[in-house]
Amino acid sequence: MKVALMMENSQAAKNPIILNELETVAGPLDHQVFNVGMNSENDHHLTYIHLGIMAGILINAKAIDFVIAGCGTGQGAMMALNVHQGVFCGYCIDPSDAFLFNQVNNGNALALAFAKGFGWGAELNARYIFEKALTGERGEGYPVERREPQVKNANILSEVKASVMKGNFLESLKGIDQELVKTAVSGERFQACLFEHGQDQDIIAHVKSLIA
């Protein structure tokens, strides 16, 4: 599985900590990690709004399978990611959230709080979240006796979102302020992930047109 980590300006200084915990979990599972957001406070400036655009592009281009995002509270990142077609982002503050999101909702992104509650042992909490988010079969439902309706409802939600968001992702991307999109796609690590692993050439071509 290809996993993208993206962090915005307010919590960029914590990127090495979070990246280390994510790679510690992902490595033994043979998951690839792409650190596509800010890696320090000196990196090019991103807000949680940019993270939503980035997640939408990477997921819809099939460059990555799962996104780990966040901001100070995690709420802004969750909202920004869920704006975009094909992105199903859950809010996660502890390992049980990650496990239940994995099994019940079967989404493809998590938003973490990297400031609120980020105290003693926070790096361990992040590691355990990643363990629950990245291991086991997804979307099996929980508890066992509720498996069938849980799986059914997750599929219905996907259909509802597709119906509400008419048209394809590229059309919606072009409808956003293109300067905002250009900032979102300006990072070299983001571009490398998209251009090397993306499968939707139309999305890739549009991104390249913005940065040309």
Side-chain angles (χ1 to χ4, degrees):
M1 183 161 64
K2 296 180 177 67
V3 182
L5 172 63
M6 49 184 69
M7 297 176 69
E8 44 75 75
N9 66 95
S10 75
Q11 304 305 311
K14 293 172 182 166
N15 179 257
I17 298 172
I18 301 301
L19 178 62
N20 178 68
E21 299 303 326
L22 180 55
E23 290 181 333
T24 297
V25 173
L29 299 170
D30 292 327
H31 297 327
Q32 292 178 271
V33 174
F34 300 88
N35 189 27
V36 300
M38 294 180 68
N39 65 359
S40 71
E41 293 179 333
N42 297 321
D43 204 355
H44 86 287
H45 188 273
L46 296 171
T47 68
Y48 62 81
I49 300 169
H50 295 120
L51 301 189
I53 296 170
M54 293 161 63
I57 290 172
L58 292 179
I59 287 175
N60 282 280
K62 296 181 173 61
I64 56 93
D65 305 298
F66 200 85
V67 171
I68 301 291
C71 54
T73 66
Q75 302 284 11
M78 179 187 69
M79 294 170 67
L81 267 69
N82 278 322
V83 162
H84 297 277
Q85 184 173 334
V87 182
F88 295 86
C89 182
Y91 180 64
C92 185
I93 59 174
D94 61 40
S96 63
D97 285 336
F99 172 79
L100 292 170
F101 176 74
N102 186 338
Q103 295 303 322
V104 177
N105 308 110
N106 194 21
N108 52 19
L110 283 177
L112 279 63
F114 293 130
K116 183 178 183 293
F118 200 93
W120 194 58
E123 76 284 0
L124 298 177
N125 186 55
R127 182 186 304 181
Y128 301 149
I129 284 173
F130 300 148
E131 287 179 354
K132 293 301 182 183
L134 303 179
T135 58
E137 295 296 325
R138 304 187 60 80
E140 292 193 328
Y142 182 88
V144 175
E145 62 270 18
R146 291 281 300 161
R147 176 178 296 170
E148 185 175 343
Q150 296 287 17
V151 172
K152 181 179 179 180
N153 288 336
N155 291 331
I156 290 173
L157 179 60
S158 179
E159 293 171 359
V160 168
K161 186 166 185 173
S163 297
V164 170
M165 296 183 171
K166 299 294 184 182
N168 61 39
F169 172 76
L170 184 55
E171 291 175 357
S172 67
L173 183 66
K174 291 179 178 179
I176 301 171
D177 180 342
Q178 294 300 280
E179 285 302 313
L180 194 64
V181 177
K182 184 176 180 179
T183 298
V185 302
S186 293
E188 292 182 1
R189 295 185 308 281
F190 172 86
Q191 293 172 16
C193 179
L194 175 64
F195 299 158
E196 293 173 19
H197 301 282
Q199 301 176 42
D200 190 309
Q201 297 305 315
D202 291 334
I203 293 175
I204 292 172
H206 181 65
V207 170
K208 287 184 174 179
S209 73
L210 292 175
I211 61 178

